[in-house]
């Protein structure tokens, strides 16, 4: 399950870098904000994945 999430995260980061490059070229704040938000979403998705993995492991150990 980690591999599809990593591929999706790499795609999100690449998209955010593309948005930020376009923002820098055209001097648009909205594209820079969009790129930043996409990059933050990718990071948050990885954090939630790892936190939930540890949480589920703990809950399964406690219930047995």
């Amino acid at each position: 399950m980690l591999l599809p999430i990593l591929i999706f995260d790499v795609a999100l980061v690449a998209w955010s870098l593309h948005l930020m490059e376009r923002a820098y070229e055209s001097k648009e704040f909205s594209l820079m904000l969009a790129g930043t938000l996409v990059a933050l979403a990718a990071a948050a998705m990885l954090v939630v994945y790892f936190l939930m993995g540890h949480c589920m492991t703990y809950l399964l150990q406690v219930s047995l």
Side-chain angles (χ1 to χ4, degrees):
M1 187 64 186
L2 181 62
L3 187 62
I5 290 176
L6 284 177
I7 292 171
F8 189 66
D9 269 348
V10 168
L12 281 176
V13 169
W15 184 37
S16 72
L17 289 175
H18 176 71
L19 285 173
M20 289 183 186
E21 284 177 353
R22 285 185 44 207
Y24 184 75
E25 291 170 1
S26 61
K27 305 286 191 258
E28 285 191 38
F29 176 73
S30 60
L31 283 177
M32 186 62 76
L33 182 62
T36 304
L37 291 175
V38 170
L40 286 173
M45 189 167 59
L46 275 180
V47 168
V48 168
Y49 175 79
F50 285 117
L51 286 176
M52 284 306 298
H54 291 299
C55 181
M56 293 305 289
T57 303
Y58 174 74
L59 289 176
L60 287 174
Q61 287 176 353
V62 170
S63 66
L64 296 177

